[in-house]
Structures are given as structure tokens and as C-alpha cells.
Amino acid sequence: MFSLISVIWFLKVKLMFCHLSDPKCFWRIKDTENNLGDTETYCSFSISTRHGYVKNDYFSWNLDKKVTPKTNHLIFSVYLALDEINMNIHILPNISMVANIECFLQKDGEKTGLALQRKEFIPNYYCTDERRYLIIFTAPIWAVTTRLGPLMFMYSIPELYCGHFHLSLNDNEQFPHLYQISPKDTSLPLAMVSLMVHFRWNWIGAMITNDDHGIQFLSKLRGEMQKHIVCLSFVITILTEHSMAHKEFQRYFNRIVMSSAKVVIVYGDYTSPIDLVLHLCKSKGIFRIWVSVSQFDMITYLGDFMLYSSSGTFIFSHQKPELSGFQQFIQTVHPSNYSSEFSFAKLWWTYFRCSLPPFNCKKLKNCPTKIVFKWLFMTPLGMAMSDTCYNLYNAIHAVAHSLHEMLLQQVDTWSNNAGKELEFDTWKMFSILKTLQFVNPAGDLVNMNQNLKQDTEYEIFYIMDFQKDYGLKMKIGRFSGHLPSRQQLYMSKEMMEWAIDVDQILPSICSMPCRPGLRKSPQEEKDICCFVCNPCLENEISNMTNMDQCVKCREDQYANEHHTLCLQKVVSILDYRDPLGKALAGIALCFSFLTSVVLCIFLKHRETPIVKANNQTLSYVLLISLVFCFICSLLYIGHPTAVICILQQTTFVIAFTVATSTILAKTITVLLAFKITIPGRRMRWLLVSGAPKYIILICTMIQLILCGIWLGTSPPFVDADAHMVHGHIIIVCNKGSVIAFYCVLGYMGSVALASFTVAFLARNLPDTFNEAKLLTFSMLVFCSVWITFIPVYHSTKGKTMVAVEVFCILASSAGLLLCIFAPKCYIILLRPDINSFQKFRKPHANAENIS
């Protein structure tokens, strides 16, 4: 038997996912003529055994009792199980199980009485013409069972409660004789929260009964909500006493109305005043999406669903198969009352295998009424069982399997007592029953051990109104607690898209979701689900909805405009392929060539007065240094290397130091030349000895020493700056020591300032080819360019900053070239008549005669 059970269980697990997407639908008629609705009657089923086969005629007397339609549903499930067992030759051969049924209707405002009369039980004694009961099943009202418990314990009769699991009945010390067949709702809080997460609902209300059962459920629900970041907007605890609950109705109602939560979880004792609160909400036109369990899946005395909602209701029900022979059995036992599909649909849900979509209806709400009715009756299968009915059905089979196990253990004893009244050890049978596993006729593995039923599987149904008098219930998913976390909840996408208009369901959230590019910022003294959305900081992104923290992009990446994506930064350098790089390189080469041409002109006309007038050697040195000044700007264009970075700065400062010191030497030469022309001056030896030329050597040596110190302490190096310009990685030459850089630059500036000062003082000295004015103007341009360079350089970024430096080098060099040598080249090339010794001597002689 155990091996057979193991094989069947293995096959069920393997095939489980194959049936997840099988559509299962139900429909029901709201019987407005029945003013009892789904009111349940407390019933006790006393089980005993008899020799031989007991026919179905034995059951007829119980069916004549005045009970509610819902109670008939329970009785039929017991009779079906008894009939299957008594006709099965493989279980309890030649033994029939019989049941004595007592049902009492609990009226509103009336205390529940005991279902069994005391005269039927005498402790430790029974009459020979009376049957001794092996066990008693009770259902579905747990409160009556608690009052019946002491009597059952006194009569030494075990009791099996077949209603929904209740925590109060699980106390072994108070109820040692009682056992519950219904599985615990251990996984229910997680299942409900998983549904909330699936629909992205994080702002939920809860309505529970104020008893141990409801409080424990709320505690577990809070724990699961905290793990999945789902918050409770309000919690309503319904008092179980009707008289006290009536006083609180308005307060309950106000809390639902004032809350922005669109989804409310309902759990607890359905016989409590909770149904009155739900009716009050409906009468006031306050509709919410209700999420509850199967015991609240019922029609009230007003002929409407207890959990009525215009947006539909979600119900969690224990997984169970549908018994296709249930409807046929009822028609056989009582054909007069249940002759058509409509008579069954008024009693309970009628299930059918639904194909989707019916007749090309993409949305249920858009289907014509006639088409929907054809769809309902297309493949009728029969009436469905409620959870309590299925528990009673399994309880009968569990007792039969327990008795059969006892028979197998004591074959010899029973064969010797053939024909005598059967006597079973009820407590031994009860002990076997609590650890029993068996496969029922529906093919479902039934496990009676509560300790092994921790992770219950739930089917998720969606209930909605169709027309006014009909209800539709569709299976849309399943929750399996024993599976990995991401696979526990399965929702049929096809069924939901057809039956549920998800787009029309209002989001049950405290705060609007933070779109990608924003992050959640919690609000003080509010739940974690209530937050404000703040934009991500610079270079941070959030690529999902409702991110708690933005993610920082890597150093080589940057955030796009909407802060939703990290983009690769563009490597930016002043390259020869850029238009700006091409232009600057072209200008540098042109001026280098032009300077070389001027040098050639001066060399060719070196014997002319204008070349000799201001020390032609210094002119050659100045022109050569300007060539290097123009060429050094090319080092700033292109991808830099460590060598190029060092050459950039050293070549630049040395070339310009040579140029400025040469101009200083030229201005001093002008002053000395003028001084020696005045009678009585003895400074000719300074001019003849070439003293001004040493100025170039001294100034250049000082600059070389400063450059050596700079390169020895903190030389320039290649640097990749990923933060200077947004979206770009700037490859530049880092100056290394900024202090050293400004020292060499300052020294070069001081030489230039000295040259400007001396040239300015010598600008009005009389001489035919006195170039002091030209030197003054050239140094004015030079100093203006570099004074402007400092603020502009620090206000630019990236390759523009490099371009500014190159431009200053070219502009200052071009200023020196054009201001000093352009007038001279004009005279040499275009006015050669002026450039002669005859023209030179006449003004000079006139000057001596005047003096």
C-alpha cells in the first residue's frame, strides 16, 4: 500500500504543472426564493458498522429532514462515500458502514444546542439492540463542537471535526478526543501576499475576527508582508459577540471608507458579524476587491454573494479534485428534487471544463449573453464539492481504511467471531486514522497527519457576477508552498486576460510607483509603502520601478538624460581628425613655414642696413625660437604619451623663454647703441663685447633649472579625467606640480614684462631703423595674450582647454613674428630704396649736425 501511494504521489508531482493551465470554471444561480441562502446547519454524523451490504434505501429517512440546501450538500457527500465503501469488495469485505445523522438549525440570536441527545449515550454501556458508534464527525460550526467536546470525551467516543481548521480545536489538552481533518492554513498568509506582489498591490486592508484564530493569522500575515514590502492600511478586528459588534459597525465602516486601500483581506469565523459589515459596505455602495478563503464563498439570505464586489473577488481554496459522479449520485438518491442542471446550480457551484476564449470572445465582459450561456452548458461535468463536503467524504474513507487496517492485523480474531456483532477498538482505530495516508476514489492522495501537511496547496479562484442572478467562478492560478519561492505562485495569463480586466482594476498603493530614473525616499512616521520619488543624483541611474537606491555608473560610463541607462563615455582628445585639431595644426605649420621664409629672407639680405641695424644674430635666434614655438603647439594635438607630456611643457617654456629673452637682449642692444652715439659715453665695450647676448644664455639657464626641478619633483603625466566633461573621458597631460608649472610660467612672464618695460623706455630713441616701437608693440600683444589666457584656460574643460592653450601659443608667437618682422620684410621686399646705406647716412649726418 505504501509503495502504491508513493508511486501515485510521485506521478502527481511530475504531472502537476501539466494541469496548472487547464481551465476550470463554475457557475451558479442566485436563488432569491430561498431566504436561507447558504446558511449552514450544524450536523453530527455518528458512524457504526454492520454485517453484510446495506442498500441505499437505508439513507432515505435522513433525507426527509427539514434542513437547509447547504446541509443537504454535506449529507450527500457522506452518503456518496458510504455507498462507494459498501460496494467496494476490497475494503471491509462483508461489512457495511452506516451513519446516523442529526442536524439542527442555528437561528439568529439563539444559542447553539447540542446536536446529540444525552439519552443516546450511557458511559461505558450500551444496550444490545442499539448500535455502538465508532466515531462521530461534526461539521461545520466549530463553536458547537467545542461545547460538544466534553460530552464526547465523557462517552469515550473519538470525534473528527470536518469543518475548516480552527486554532481553538487544536488544543490536545482540552480536546484529547478530537482531531481535525482540514489542513492548517500555514501557507495561507504567504499565498495571499504572493498574490498582492503579483498584482503590485502594496497598500492593503485586513478584516479579521477578534479571536485566537484571527489574531494568529494576522501575526503571520504581518510577517510575510514585511518580507515582501506590503503594508497594512488598516486592520479591523470584528468582535465575535453580535450585540457588541453592532455598536462598532459605523466605526468599522468608516475605517474602510477613509482608507485608500482598494484591496481588503477577509479572514476569520464566517458565522461572526463580519457578514453584516460586508453587507453594510454593499448597501452604501463601497466596493473593494475582497481576498478571502472558501468558507466566505457563500450566498447570504439576501440572495447575493457575501463578498460582493463590482471588481470581483479572489478566493483561496484547498486543492481538491472534482468528483464527476457526485451529481449522478444525488440524482439517483433523490431524483425528484434534482432533475436538471438548474436545480444543482441553485444548491452549489456547477463546474465544467471551459475552453478559452468561447466563440472568439476576447473579453468576458464583451461577450453576448446568449454566447455565454451556450458556453456554460457546452461541457457540463457536475456539481462541485465544498471544502467541508470533501473533508466529510475523505473522513468516511479514512475511517474505512483504518478499520480495514485493523482487520488485516487481526484476521484470526474476526474469523472466529463471524456472525457476531462487530466490536472495534475505537481508540486504536482513531490512533491509526491520525497517521493514515491513502488514495481516495478521485485519485487524490489524502494525508491525515497534520504534521506532514504544513505546506498546503491552494487553488486561486476569481468570482464575479454575470447578469444579475448568476455568478461565475474561474480558476486563475495555484499556490504551492513546497516549491521554490519564485515558483510557488502560478497565475494563468490566458484566463486572467480573458476573465479579469486587470487594466481597469485600480492600483491598491499608498504612493504612485517611482518610474525608472527616480528612487524611493521614505516619509517620516509613515509606512515603508508610503514614499516620495526623488530623481537620481548625477551619474546615477535606476532602471526599474520603485528602486530604493540609485546605482552609480562606472567611471567609464555616464547616466543618460533620464537617469535610466549607463552609457559608455566617449574618449575625447584634441585629435588631428577633428576640425579644430586640423585647423590649429594647419595654422601652426603655416606660421612655421612663414617664419622659416622670413629667416631665409633675412639671411639673403643680411648685408642690408635694416638687417644689421639691430643685431642680426639676435634676429636669427629670435626667428629660430619662434619656429620652435609654432612647432611645439603640435605636441598638444593627438593622443598624448608620457614623453609627449614632458616635451609639451618643457619645449613650450624654453622656446618662449628664449624668444622673450632675445627680445630683451634686442631692446638692451638698442639702448646701448644709442648711448654710445652720445659724445662722452664710454659704454662701447659693452656693445662690442656682445654682453646683451649673454642675457639669452642666463635667462634660458634659469628656466632650464626651474624645469629640471619641476621634472625631478612632479613631472607632467598622461591623465584620464572622467569627471571634467559630462559623458566624456578627457585624455590630457596633467601638469603634475601646479606650483612648478606656474613658477616656470611666471618666470617666462617676468622676462616678457622686463622686455616690454625696456622696449617701452626705448621706443622714442632717434634712429633710422630703431625697432624699439616694434618690440614694444609685439610685447604688448604677447603679454595681453597670456594675461587673457589664465582666466579663459580655467573656465574651459576638456579638449577645448587644450585648444585654448594651443591658440595662445600660436597667437603670442604670431604676434611676435608679425609685429617685429612684418614691417622689416615690407621694406626689404617692397621698399628696397629705403633699405640702403645712402639713405641711412643722410639722416644720420643730419642728426649729428643738429646735435
Side-chain angles (χ1 to χ4, degrees):
M1 177 64 71
F2 178 78
S3 60
L4 178 61
I5 291 173
S6 300
V7 171
I8 294 176
W9 175 250
F10 176 76
L11 293 175
K12 283 174 69 65
V13 171
K14 294 289 288 183
L15 297 175
M16 182 174 58
F17 289 102
C18 297
H19 300 285
L20 284 177
S21 58
D22 288 348
K24 186 190 294 185
C25 305
F26 305 79
W27 73 285
R28 186 176 183 184
I29 300 174
K30 300 177 183 178
D31 190 4
T32 54
E33 297 178 359
N34 175 23
N35 58 2
L36 292 176
D38 284 341
T39 303
E40 293 185 314
T41 302
Y42 177 80
C43 293
S44 65
F45 304 84
S46 304
I47 308 300
S48 59
T49 58
R50 281 190 176 182
H51 272 294
Y53 172 68
V54 179
K55 296 182 180 180
N56 283 335
D57 295 341
Y58 171 79
F59 304 141
S60 61
W61 69 276
N62 277 312
L63 295 174
D64 295 330
K65 293 187 177 182
K66 301 297 182 182
V67 293
T68 64
K70 188 70 174 291
T71 307
N72 278 331
H73 195 206
L74 302 178
I75 296 173
F76 284 135
S77 64
V78 173
Y79 285 166
L80 173 63
L82 290 174
D83 191 56
E84 290 175 345
I85 292 169
N86 293 340
M87 295 184 67
N88 190 346
I89 61 174
H90 300 290
I91 298 179
L92 298 179
N94 202 29
I95 298 174
S96 294
M97 291 178 61
V98 294
N100 181 47
I101 304 174
E102 295 290 341
C103 298
F104 291 84
L105 179 62
Q106 180 182 358
K107 298 179 181 179
D108 293 338
E110 180 181 309
K111 293 185 178 179
T112 305
L114 296 178
L116 301 178
Q117 304 297 325
R118 287 181 178 269
K119 63 181 181 180
E120 295 186 20
F121 298 97
I122 301 176
N124 300 321
Y125 176 79
Y126 64 96
C127 299
T128 56
D129 59 344
E130 291 183 355
R131 297 187 303 275
R132 182 179 181 183
Y133 299 127
L134 296 172
I135 192 170
I136 292 181
F137 302 155
T138 56
I141 304 173
W142 69 273
V144 181
T145 300
T146 59
R147 297 169 186 170
L148 183 63
L151 184 63
M152 293 295 99
F153 182 67
M154 181 175 62
Y155 292 155
S156 190
I157 299 178
E159 179 182 358
L160 194 62
Y161 177 69
C162 299
H164 295 277
F165 184 87
H166 201 280
L167 186 63
S168 300
L169 300 178
N170 209 37
D171 188 351
N172 291 329
E173 293 184 1
Q174 187 176 0
F175 305 105
H177 67 289
L178 186 144
Y179 195 71
Q180 299 187 73
I181 187 174
S182 182
K184 299 177 182 179
D185 287 329
T186 307
S187 302
L188 183 61
L190 176 58
M192 288 185 170
V193 171
S194 298
L195 182 70
M196 308 299 158
V197 174
H198 177 80
F199 286 110
R200 296 188 177 96
W201 297 330
N202 64 3
W203 194 236
I204 310 300
M207 190 187 305
I208 63 168
T209 50
N210 191 18
D211 54 16
D212 292 341
H213 195 56
I215 298 300
Q216 186 188 65
F217 170 80
L218 178 62
S219 176
K220 293 181 179 179
L221 183 68
R222 288 183 186 274
E224 295 297 338
M225 284 185 167
Q226 187 175 4
K227 294 177 184 177
H228 295 83
I229 315 179
V230 179
C231 304
L232 279 173
S233 172
F234 65 87
V235 176
I236 297 176
T237 53
I238 307 295
L239 299 175
T240 54
E241 291 292 335
H242 283 72
S243 58
M244 297 181 65
H246 275 281
K247 300 177 183 179
E248 302 291 332
F249 277 173
Q250 193 60 42
R251 183 173 64 87
Y252 298 153
F253 176 74
N254 290 339
R255 294 198 66 182
I256 297 176
V257 173
M258 296 301 293
S259 172
S260 60
K262 302 298 186 297
V263 178
V264 179
I265 294 175
V266 180
Y267 187 82
D269 185 3
Y270 68 100
T271 61
S272 68
I274 199 169
D275 62 327
L276 300 178
V277 179
L278 296 170
H279 174 67
L280 180 62
C281 290
K282 179 187 175 184
S283 63
K284 297 289 186 180
I286 304 301
F287 302 115
R288 297 291 184 266
I289 300 174
W290 308 109
V291 179
S292 189
V293 289
S294 58
Q295 63 193 85
F296 288 92
D297 175 16
M298 59 185 299
I299 291 179
T300 64
Y301 64 93
L302 297 174
D304 211 336
F305 290 118
M306 178 183 288
L307 296 173
Y308 174 80
S309 173
S310 59
S311 300
T313 300
F314 293 90
I315 293 293
F316 284 80
S317 177
H318 294 300
Q319 179 188 348
K320 60 182 182 297
E322 305 301 338
L323 299 177
S324 58
F326 191 34
Q327 180 173 326
Q328 289 80 358
F329 174 77
I330 296 175
Q331 289 176 325
T332 302
V333 174
H334 218 290
S336 59
N337 292 347
Y338 306 101
S339 58
S340 66
E341 295 289 337
F342 288 96
S343 59
F344 285 104
K346 290 181 179 180
L347 175 63
W348 191 239
W349 292 103
T350 299
Y351 71 94
F352 59 98
R353 195 71 64 183
C354 47
S355 58
L356 299 178
F359 303 101
N360 298 323
C361 287
K362 295 183 178 180
K363 291 285 185 182
L364 177 59
K365 67 177 183 179
N366 299 328
C367 287
T369 305
K370 292 183 180 180
I371 292 180
V372 174
F373 273 112
K374 288 182 180 179
W375 175 66
L376 293 178
F377 294 101
M378 184 169 55
T379 54
L381 294 179
M383 188 177 66
M385 276 188 173
S386 66
D387 286 353
T388 303
C389 287
Y390 191 63
N391 288 340
L392 285 167
Y393 176 83
N394 284 331
I396 296 292
H397 281 280
V399 172
H401 280 81
S402 300
L403 295 176
H404 189 77
E405 184 69 22
M406 294 176 65
L407 286 176
L408 294 178
Q409 294 176 4
Q410 302 177 0
V411 176
D412 295 337
T413 304
W414 294 115
S415 60
N416 295 332
N417 294 331
K420 297 182 181 179
E421 186 70 26
L422 298 176
E423 293 186 9
F424 288 96
D425 186 342
T426 58
W427 293 105
K428 183 177 181 181
M429 179 270 299
F430 192 52
S431 177
I432 295 174
L433 182 143
K434 290 190 290 185
T435 59
L436 188 67
Q437 288 188 14
F438 64 94
V439 179
N440 66 12
D444 189 23
L445 177 64
V446 180
N447 185 5
M448 298 294 293
N449 191 340
Q450 285 285 4
N451 296 327
L452 300 179
K453 295 192 293 185
Q454 298 299 317
D455 295 323
T456 309
E457 292 189 359
Y458 293 94
E459 293 178 319
I460 304 173
F461 294 96
Y462 178 74
I463 300 177
M464 61 177 292
D465 279 356
F466 172 67
Q467 298 294 318
K468 181 181 179 182
D469 300 323
Y470 302 94
L472 287 176
K473 181 167 74 170
M474 289 147 284
K475 179 182 174 182
I476 61 171
R478 172 179 294 180
F479 180 84
S480 302
H482 61 274
L483 295 178
S485 58
R486 294 187 178 180
Q487 303 174 12
Q488 290 175 330
L489 181 70
Y490 171 83
M491 301 295 287
S492 174
K493 183 178 180 181
E494 182 184 20
M495 180 65 78
M496 286 195 302
E497 289 179 351
W498 178 76
I500 307 174
D501 199 352
V502 180
D503 296 334
Q504 298 299 321
I505 297 178
L506 296 176
S508 187
I509 53 179
C510 180
S511 301
M512 292 303 294
C514 293
R515 62 170 177 78
L518 303 176
R519 62 179 177 84
K520 296 193 300 183
S521 296
Q523 295 177 293
E524 293 184 2
E525 299 180 357
K526 288 189 177 182
D527 287 306
I528 192 173
C529 301
C530 301
F531 49 82
V532 293
C533 298
N534 291 325
C536 293
L537 300 177
E538 186 179 358
N539 213 38
E540 291 185 352
I541 66 162
S542 62
N543 54 6
M544 292 187 295
T545 304
N546 284 342
M547 288 189 64
D548 294 321
Q549 296 292 335
C550 296
V551 179
K552 193 173 183 64
C553 295
R554 299 199 312 261
E555 289 293 326
D556 60 340
Q557 294 179 333
Y558 70 99
N560 62 350
E561 182 181 357
H562 300 291
H563 291 270
T564 57
L565 188 66
C566 285
L567 303 177
Q568 193 69 30
K569 288 184 177 180
V570 179
V571 176
S572 179
I573 58 173
L574 185 61
D575 194 69
Y576 288 104
R577 291 171 293 183
D578 293 340
L580 182 61
K582 289 180 180 178
L584 293 175
I587 293 171
L589 292 175
C590 289
F591 274 102
S592 299
F593 177 75
L594 182 60
T595 307
S596 300
V597 171
V598 173
L599 178 60
C600 292
I601 292 172
F602 269 58
L603 289 174
K604 183 178 180 181
H605 299 86
R606 59 183 177 274
E607 300 298 331
T608 60
I610 198 169
V611 175
K612 289 185 174 182
N614 296 101
N615 197 328
Q616 58 185 0
T617 305
L618 293 179
S619 297
Y620 299 154
V621 173
L622 179 58
L623 287 171
I624 294 171
S625 65
L626 287 177
V627 171
F628 280 99
C629 288
F630 286 119
I631 292 176
C632 77
S633 63
L634 298 177
L635 296 173
Y636 290 83
I637 304 173
H639 199 289
T641 62
V643 175
I644 289 177
C645 286
I646 293 174
L647 290 176
Q648 273 184 8
Q649 307 305 326
T650 54
T651 305
F652 157 64
V653 295
I654 292 173
F656 270 89
T657 300
V658 172
T660 54
S661 60
T662 302
I663 293 174
L664 178 61
K666 287 175 73 68
T667 55
I668 292 176
T669 301
V670 172
L671 285 175
L672 291 177
F674 179 77
K675 293 296 183 180
I676 63 174
T677 59
I678 299 174
R681 299 286 183 173
R682 297 183 180 180
M683 301 181 65
R684 185 178 178 84
W685 66 272
L686 291 175
L687 187 62
V688 175
S689 62
K693 298 179 182 178
Y694 291 103
I695 295 175
I696 301 173
L697 183 60
I698 295 171
C699 292
T700 305
M701 288 301 297
I702 295 174
Q703 188 67 284
L704 287 172
I705 293 171
L706 292 176
C707 288
I709 296 172
W710 181 12
L711 297 178
T713 55
S714 181
F717 57 91
V718 180
D719 189 18
D721 195 332
H723 307 284
M724 182 181 294
V725 179
H726 181 70
H728 292 76
I729 299 177
I730 307 300
I731 307 296
V732 293
C733 285
N734 192 298
K735 300 297 187 294
S737 175
V738 179
I739 297 175
F741 171 72
Y742 282 107
C743 284
V744 296
L745 199 65
Y747 174 74
M748 185 185 73
S750 64
V751 175
L753 184 62
S755 301
F756 172 75
T757 304
V758 176
F760 181 79
L761 295 175
R763 71 189 186 282
N764 292 322
L765 294 177
D767 199 354
T768 304
F769 298 109
N770 183 11
E771 62 178 354
K773 290 182 179 181
L774 301 180
L775 297 177
T776 302
F777 187 68
S778 66
M779 292 312 300
L780 179 62
V781 172
F782 183 89
C783 293
S784 299
V785 169
W786 287 106
I787 290 173
T788 308
F789 162 78
I790 294 175
V792 175
Y793 180 80
H794 288 284
S795 63
T796 55
K797 295 179 179 179
K799 62 182 181 182
T800 307
M801 182 174 63
V802 181
V804 167
E805 190 171 358
V806 174
F807 178 79
C808 288
I809 293 173
L810 295 176
S812 58
S813 301
L816 295 178
L817 175 66
L818 296 177
C819 292
I820 296 174
F821 295 99
K824 295 182 178 182
C825 290
Y826 171 78
I827 295 173
I828 293 172
L829 298 176
L830 300 178
R831 297 294 303 275
D833 55 315
I834 300 175
N835 188 20
S836 65
F837 284 102
Q838 295 177 355
K839 294 288 184 182
F840 172 76
R841 291 192 182 95
K842 183 182 289 188
H844 188 69
N846 294 333
E848 289 181 349
N849 294 330
I850 294 172
S851 59

